[in-house]
Amino acid sequence: RSMPPRSKSHWDLLPTPDSASPEILNRTEINSKYFPSATNPNRNFADRPNNQTPPLFLQELAHLSSLLCAVALSTLRNDLDDKESPLDIYVPGAPWPVSDPDKLPKSTKSEFHHDYAIVRNIRYWLGIDRKPKSLANYVASRPMLIIGGISNAEIAHLQEARGSYAKTQLAFHWLSEFIIREHLSGSLGDVHAAIISRLVQFLSDGMLYYNHARKIMYIPFPFPHAQLSAFFTIIMIPTIPFLMDQYTNELWMGCMITFFTVTCLVGLHEVARELENPFRNVPNEIPLCTIHAMYNEALATMFSGYNPDSFWD
């Protein structure tokens, strides 16, 4: 078995201070620290022989794709605009982020949870959301992890973009521009332009579904209907026991019917609350951090190279 020789492009060469910006040099240093198998206890596709990092083109492609997904998910989680973006470095092969916030360390939960469980349960039952400070602490404890980290310049540009849609659109432009620019410079090889346009189309499809998710996040349930639902739920909890007391002659039968009736009505109300905003309602929120970490591991499979059983005559 033999593989055809592959000519070196400018993405196979290590950047130097004369040919790259300080941010690129910093990201290269980060990748050289986290990607080699010598420093990574869990071997995966990001490990390279002789402690070498994957090609810079794949590193940049994985970084921009991971950045786009992280920014999109953080906006769906409704991170605060006036706070620093809770983004951090992803280490391939690292343990998955905790999907259940209740399993976080006690010292971490104390920053955004009330000390008494009964107070937390009452606030949750009444639909009282966290204060901005508690929400900021919770978001900071569960950052979105990005392959290759995030540079100060990227953070500055993302903070300059006003609104969640503008931030996601900016990251989308960075990834689309990178693919088109590298195709024009020949880094993608002799690939037909129709295939490249298909890649951009897939990215546009991803933005389309992101906008669908934004509709769920930013369009609330009709306010009068939500208030009436909450009001009738609170009223029926003490009212139904009196009704069942008049309806049944046996105490145990009235208690059982009351329990199931109240549970059904309150359960439907809670399900509606969760479906109204599935990305933020703790602790039943969608584990975006864990999903994004799985996506990062999927991006790391790009570093696997050729099929191990491929061969040429």
Side-chain angles (χ1 to χ4, degrees):
R1 298 184 179 184
S2 61
M3 292 187 179
R6 185 171 61 92
S7 60
K8 279 194 172 184
S9 65
H10 67 283
W11 282 105
D12 296 313
L13 304 176
L14 291 178
T16 61
D18 299 333
S19 61
S21 64
E23 300 296 348
I24 294 296
L25 294 175
N26 182 42
R27 187 175 301 146
T28 303
E29 182 181 356
I30 291 175
N31 288 331
S32 64
K33 177 180 178 182
Y34 289 114
F35 276 99
S37 57
T39 59
N40 191 353
N42 300 319
R43 298 184 60 86
N44 60 11
F45 290 115
D47 301 325
R48 310 291 288 184
N50 302 324
N51 295 339
Q52 294 179 353
T53 59
L56 294 179
F57 172 78
L58 294 181
Q59 290 184 29
E60 190 69 11
L61 181 62
H63 164 72
L64 292 176
S65 180
S66 178
L67 176 63
L68 172 59
C69 184
V71 172
L73 294 181
S74 64
T75 58
L76 292 179
R77 197 172 56 176
N78 198 18
D79 294 351
L80 303 181
D81 292 334
D82 56 344
K83 302 295 182 181
E84 186 175 351
S85 301
L87 305 174
D88 205 347
I89 302 173
Y90 180 76
V91 181
W96 302 117
V98 178
S99 58
D100 187 358
D102 290 335
K103 295 182 180 180
L104 291 172
K106 187 176 181 180
S107 59
T108 303
K109 291 191 296 184
S110 63
E111 298 180 358
F112 54 85
H113 266 175
H114 198 278
D115 296 336
Y116 298 100
I118 186 172
V119 177
R120 296 197 302 267
N121 293 334
I122 292 176
R123 288 174 59 89
Y124 177 80
W125 185 68
L126 294 177
I128 302 176
D129 202 353
R130 286 194 176 97
K131 297 180 180 179
K133 182 179 179 181
S134 299
L135 178 60
N137 293 334
Y138 173 74
V139 169
S141 67
R142 299 171 65 79
M144 294 294 175
L145 306 178
I146 300 174
I147 294 179
I150 182 169
S151 66
N152 294 330
E154 288 172 335
I155 292 178
H157 279 73
L158 288 172
Q159 290 180 342
E160 289 179 3
R162 293 191 58 191
S164 59
Y165 185 73
K167 298 178 188 297
T168 307
Q169 196 68 30
L170 177 61
F172 170 74
H173 287 325
W174 286 342
L175 178 58
S176 302
E177 184 270 339
F178 172 76
I179 294 176
I180 296 173
R181 169 167 47 85
E182 293 307 317
H183 170 66
L184 295 177
S185 64
S187 299
L188 299 182
D190 191 16
V191 178
H192 198 275
I195 298 179
I196 304 302
S197 65
R198 193 62 175 167
L199 294 177
V200 178
Q201 180 63 44
F202 281 134
L203 292 177
S204 300
D205 292 341
M207 290 297 295
L208 174 64
Y209 291 109
Y210 163 74
N211 287 314
H212 290 335
R214 287 184 74 250
K215 295 177 183 178
I216 300 176
M217 173 63 197
Y218 289 99
I219 300 177
F221 203 70
F223 182 77
H225 198 298
Q227 294 301 304
L228 287 174
S229 177
F231 174 76
F232 283 122
T233 301
I234 295 175
I235 292 298
M236 282 186 292
I237 290 177
T239 302
I240 289 180
F242 292 100
L243 296 177
M244 293 299 106
D245 180 64
Q246 299 297 323
Y247 180 74
T248 60
N249 296 324
E250 298 291 337
L251 178 63
W252 66 270
M253 178 65 69
C255 294
M256 185 177 65
I257 296 177
T258 299
F259 172 78
F260 286 111
T261 303
V262 172
T263 302
C264 179
L265 296 175
V266 174
L268 291 175
H269 177 66
E270 292 299 324
V271 169
R273 286 179 54 192
E274 297 296 334
L275 293 178
E276 181 183 15
N277 193 341
F279 307 106
R280 187 179 178 181
N281 291 333
V282 181
N284 298 322
E285 62 178 357
I286 297 177
L288 298 180
C289 296
T290 307
I291 294 175
H292 182 56
M294 294 179 179
Y295 177 70
N296 286 335
E297 287 294 334
L299 291 176
T301 59
M302 293 191 302
F303 307 140
S304 61
Y306 295 105
N307 185 293
D309 295 330
S310 298
F311 63 93
W312 290 264
D313 295 328

PDB file of all heavy atoms in Angstrom, residues 113-126 128:
ATOM      1  N   HIS A 113     -27.171  29.715  42.859  1.00  0.00           N
ATOM      2  CA  HIS A 113     -28.295  29.088  43.528  1.00  0.00           C
ATOM      3  C   HIS A 113     -28.508  29.714  44.901  1.00  0.00           C
ATOM      4  O   HIS A 113     -27.558  30.147  45.558  1.00  0.00           O
ATOM      5  CB  HIS A 113     -28.037  27.585  43.711  1.00  0.00           C
ATOM      6  CG  HIS A 113     -28.605  26.772  42.599  1.00  0.00           C
ATOM      7  ND1 HIS A 113     -28.409  25.411  42.493  1.00  0.00           N
ATOM      8  CD2 HIS A 113     -29.364  27.114  41.537  1.00  0.00           C
ATOM      9  CE1 HIS A 113     -29.017  24.963  41.416  1.00  0.00           C
ATOM     10  NE2 HIS A 113     -29.602  25.974  40.823  1.00  0.00           N
ATOM     11  N   HIS A 114     -29.757  29.760  45.336  1.00  0.00           N
ATOM     12  CA  HIS A 114     -30.031  30.163  46.713  1.00  0.00           C
ATOM     13  C   HIS A 114     -29.589  29.057  47.660  1.00  0.00           C
ATOM     14  O   HIS A 114     -29.588  27.879  47.319  1.00  0.00           O
ATOM     15  CB  HIS A 114     -31.528  30.455  46.891  1.00  0.00           C
ATOM     16  CG  HIS A 114     -31.836  31.264  48.109  1.00  0.00           C
ATOM     17  ND1 HIS A 114     -31.947  30.706  49.366  1.00  0.00           N
ATOM     18  CD2 HIS A 114     -32.031  32.602  48.271  1.00  0.00           C
ATOM     19  CE1 HIS A 114     -32.221  31.640  50.241  1.00  0.00           C
ATOM     20  NE2 HIS A 114     -32.281  32.809  49.614  1.00  0.00           N
ATOM     21  N   ASP A 115     -29.214  29.428  48.860  1.00  0.00           N
ATOM     22  CA  ASP A 115     -28.685  28.450  49.809  1.00  0.00           C
ATOM     23  C   ASP A 115     -29.738  27.434  50.233  1.00  0.00           C
ATOM     24  O   ASP A 115     -29.403  26.272  50.503  1.00  0.00           O
ATOM     25  CB  ASP A 115     -28.130  29.162  51.049  1.00  0.00           C
ATOM     26  CG  ASP A 115     -26.933  30.045  50.721  1.00  0.00           C
ATOM     27  OD1 ASP A 115     -26.275  29.763  49.709  1.00  0.00           O
ATOM     28  OD2 ASP A 115     -26.672  31.019  51.458  1.00  0.00           O
ATOM     29  N   TYR A 116     -31.007  27.833  50.281  1.00  0.00           N
ATOM     30  CA  TYR A 116     -32.066  26.945  50.760  1.00  0.00           C
ATOM     31  C   TYR A 116     -32.868  26.397  49.582  1.00  0.00           C
ATOM     32  O   TYR A 116     -33.322  27.144  48.716  1.00  0.00           O
ATOM     33  CB  TYR A 116     -32.991  27.686  51.729  1.00  0.00           C
ATOM     34  CG  TYR A 116     -32.280  28.181  52.971  1.00  0.00           C
ATOM     35  CD1 TYR A 116     -31.894  29.508  53.077  1.00  0.00           C
ATOM     36  CD2 TYR A 116     -31.979  27.308  54.018  1.00  0.00           C
ATOM     37  CE1 TYR A 116     -31.236  29.964  54.211  1.00  0.00           C
ATOM     38  CE2 TYR A 116     -31.318  27.753  55.150  1.00  0.00           C
ATOM     39  CZ  TYR A 116     -30.943  29.081  55.247  1.00  0.00           C
ATOM     40  OH  TYR A 116     -30.294  29.534  56.358  1.00  0.00           O
ATOM     41  N   ALA A 117     -33.034  25.081  49.594  1.00  0.00           N
ATOM     42  CA  ALA A 117     -33.738  24.423  48.490  1.00  0.00           C
ATOM     43  C   ALA A 117     -35.200  24.829  48.442  1.00  0.00           C
ATOM     44  O   ALA A 117     -35.779  24.945  47.361  1.00  0.00           O
ATOM     45  CB  ALA A 117     -33.615  22.906  48.623  1.00  0.00           C
ATOM     46  N   ILE A 118     -35.830  25.049  49.610  1.00  0.00           N
ATOM     47  CA  ILE A 118     -37.245  25.407  49.616  1.00  0.00           C
ATOM     48  C   ILE A 118     -37.469  26.760  48.944  1.00  0.00           C
ATOM     49  O   ILE A 118     -38.470  26.963  48.241  1.00  0.00           O
ATOM     50  CB  ILE A 118     -37.789  25.407  51.063  1.00  0.00           C
ATOM     51  CG1 ILE A 118     -39.299  25.632  51.039  1.00  0.00           C
ATOM     52  CG2 ILE A 118     -37.083  26.456  51.915  1.00  0.00           C
ATOM     53  CD1 ILE A 118     -39.946  25.450  52.409  1.00  0.00           C
ATOM     54  N   VAL A 119     -36.517  27.682  49.111  1.00  0.00           N
ATOM     55  CA  VAL A 119     -36.636  28.984  48.447  1.00  0.00           C
ATOM     56  C   VAL A 119     -36.499  28.822  46.939  1.00  0.00           C
ATOM     57  O   VAL A 119     -37.228  29.445  46.157  1.00  0.00           O
ATOM     58  CB  VAL A 119     -35.590  29.965  49.000  1.00  0.00           C
ATOM     59  CG1 VAL A 119     -35.653  31.303  48.260  1.00  0.00           C
ATOM     60  CG2 VAL A 119     -35.796  30.185  50.493  1.00  0.00           C
ATOM     61  N   ARG A 120     -35.562  27.973  46.507  1.00  0.00           N
ATOM     62  CA  ARG A 120     -35.393  27.724  45.065  1.00  0.00           C
ATOM     63  C   ARG A 120     -36.649  27.108  44.477  1.00  0.00           C
ATOM     64  O   ARG A 120     -37.071  27.479  43.368  1.00  0.00           O
ATOM     65  CB  ARG A 120     -34.190  26.810  44.835  1.00  0.00           C
ATOM     66  CG  ARG A 120     -32.854  27.404  45.255  1.00  0.00           C
ATOM     67  CD  ARG A 120     -31.714  26.633  44.611  1.00  0.00           C
ATOM     68  NE  ARG A 120     -31.741  25.222  44.954  1.00  0.00           N
ATOM     69  CZ  ARG A 120     -31.069  24.688  45.987  1.00  0.00           C
ATOM     70  NH1 ARG A 120     -30.350  25.490  46.790  1.00  0.00           N
ATOM     71  NH2 ARG A 120     -31.111  23.401  46.239  1.00  0.00           N
ATOM     72  N   ASN A 121     -37.259  26.159  45.193  1.00  0.00           N
ATOM     73  CA  ASN A 121     -38.461  25.497  44.678  1.00  0.00           C
ATOM     74  C   ASN A 121     -39.630  26.471  44.586  1.00  0.00           C
ATOM     75  O   ASN A 121     -40.405  26.436  43.624  1.00  0.00           O
ATOM     76  CB  ASN A 121     -38.823  24.315  45.567  1.00  0.00           C
ATOM     77  CG  ASN A 121     -37.796  23.209  45.505  1.00  0.00           C
ATOM     78  OD1 ASN A 121     -37.097  23.068  44.501  1.00  0.00           O
ATOM     79  ND2 ASN A 121     -37.674  22.442  46.571  1.00  0.00           N
ATOM     80  N   ILE A 122     -39.767  27.346  45.579  1.00  0.00           N
ATOM     81  CA  ILE A 122     -40.865  28.310  45.548  1.00  0.00           C
ATOM     82  C   ILE A 122     -40.672  29.306  44.401  1.00  0.00           C
ATOM     83  O   ILE A 122     -41.618  29.625  43.665  1.00  0.00           O
ATOM     84  CB  ILE A 122     -40.963  29.044  46.905  1.00  0.00           C
ATOM     85  CG1 ILE A 122     -41.411  28.072  47.996  1.00  0.00           C
ATOM     86  CG2 ILE A 122     -41.929  30.217  46.806  1.00  0.00           C
ATOM     87  CD1 ILE A 122     -41.440  28.689  49.383  1.00  0.00           C
ATOM     88  N   ARG A 123     -39.428  29.782  44.224  1.00  0.00           N
ATOM     89  CA  ARG A 123     -39.164  30.720  43.130  1.00  0.00           C
ATOM     90  C   ARG A 123     -39.419  30.057  41.781  1.00  0.00           C
ATOM     91  O   ARG A 123     -39.956  30.669  40.857  1.00  0.00           O
ATOM     92  CB  ARG A 123     -37.721  31.227  43.213  1.00  0.00           C
ATOM     93  CG  ARG A 123     -37.473  32.190  44.367  1.00  0.00           C
ATOM     94  CD  ARG A 123     -35.990  32.518  44.455  1.00  0.00           C
ATOM     95  NE  ARG A 123     -35.504  33.105  43.222  1.00  0.00           N
ATOM     96  CZ  ARG A 123     -35.517  34.398  42.946  1.00  0.00           C
ATOM     97  NH1 ARG A 123     -35.999  35.257  43.831  1.00  0.00           N
ATOM     98  NH2 ARG A 123     -35.039  34.851  41.793  1.00  0.00           N
ATOM     99  N   TYR A 124     -39.015  28.798  41.656  1.00  0.00           N
ATOM    100  CA  TYR A 124     -39.236  28.086  40.389  1.00  0.00           C
ATOM    101  C   TYR A 124     -40.725  27.869  40.147  1.00  0.00           C
ATOM    102  O   TYR A 124     -41.225  28.030  39.032  1.00  0.00           O
ATOM    103  CB  TYR A 124     -38.493  26.753  40.411  1.00  0.00           C
ATOM    104  CG  TYR A 124     -38.711  25.920  39.171  1.00  0.00           C
ATOM    105  CD1 TYR A 124     -38.012  26.184  37.996  1.00  0.00           C
ATOM    106  CD2 TYR A 124     -39.628  24.873  39.162  1.00  0.00           C
ATOM    107  CE1 TYR A 124     -38.215  25.433  36.856  1.00  0.00           C
ATOM    108  CE2 TYR A 124     -39.842  24.118  38.024  1.00  0.00           C
ATOM    109  CZ  TYR A 124     -39.131  24.407  36.884  1.00  0.00           C
ATOM    110  OH  TYR A 124     -39.346  23.655  35.755  1.00  0.00           O
ATOM    111  N   TRP A 125     -41.473  27.502  41.201  1.00  0.00           N
ATOM    112  CA  TRP A 125     -42.902  27.252  41.047  1.00  0.00           C
ATOM    113  C   TRP A 125     -43.646  28.527  40.685  1.00  0.00           C
ATOM    114  O   TRP A 125     -44.607  28.498  39.918  1.00  0.00           O
ATOM    115  CB  TRP A 125     -43.447  26.652  42.333  1.00  0.00           C
ATOM    116  CG  TRP A 125     -44.882  26.251  42.235  1.00  0.00           C
ATOM    117  CD1 TRP A 125     -45.401  25.235  41.487  1.00  0.00           C
ATOM    118  CD2 TRP A 125     -45.983  26.869  42.894  1.00  0.00           C
ATOM    119  NE1 TRP A 125     -46.760  25.179  41.648  1.00  0.00           N
ATOM    120  CE2 TRP A 125     -47.151  26.168  42.508  1.00  0.00           C
ATOM    121  CE3 TRP A 125     -46.109  27.924  43.780  1.00  0.00           C
ATOM    122  CZ2 TRP A 125     -48.401  26.506  42.969  1.00  0.00           C
ATOM    123  CZ3 TRP A 125     -47.359  28.265  44.246  1.00  0.00           C
ATOM    124  CH2 TRP A 125     -48.501  27.558  43.841  1.00  0.00           C
ATOM    125  N   LEU A 126     -43.199  29.655  41.221  1.00  0.00           N
ATOM    126  CA  LEU A 126     -43.843  30.929  40.919  1.00  0.00           C
ATOM    127  C   LEU A 126     -43.368  31.528  39.597  1.00  0.00           C
ATOM    128  O   LEU A 126     -43.871  32.573  39.180  1.00  0.00           O
ATOM    129  CB  LEU A 126     -43.594  31.930  42.058  1.00  0.00           C
ATOM    130  CG  LEU A 126     -44.230  31.582  43.407  1.00  0.00           C
ATOM    131  CD1 LEU A 126     -43.842  32.622  44.453  1.00  0.00           C
ATOM    132  CD2 LEU A 126     -45.744  31.489  43.280  1.00  0.00           C
ATOM    133  N   ILE A 128     -40.380  32.802  38.941  1.00  0.00           N
ATOM    134  CA  ILE A 128     -39.484  33.945  39.125  1.00  0.00           C
ATOM    135  C   ILE A 128     -38.116  33.592  38.560  1.00  0.00           C
ATOM    136  O   ILE A 128     -37.465  32.649  39.029  1.00  0.00           O
ATOM    137  CB  ILE A 128     -39.379  34.322  40.609  1.00  0.00           C
ATOM    138  CG1 ILE A 128     -40.765  34.658  41.170  1.00  0.00           C
ATOM    139  CG2 ILE A 128     -38.428  35.498  40.797  1.00  0.00           C
ATOM    140  CD1 ILE A 128     -40.770  34.945  42.659  1.00  0.00           C
TER     141      ILE A 128
END
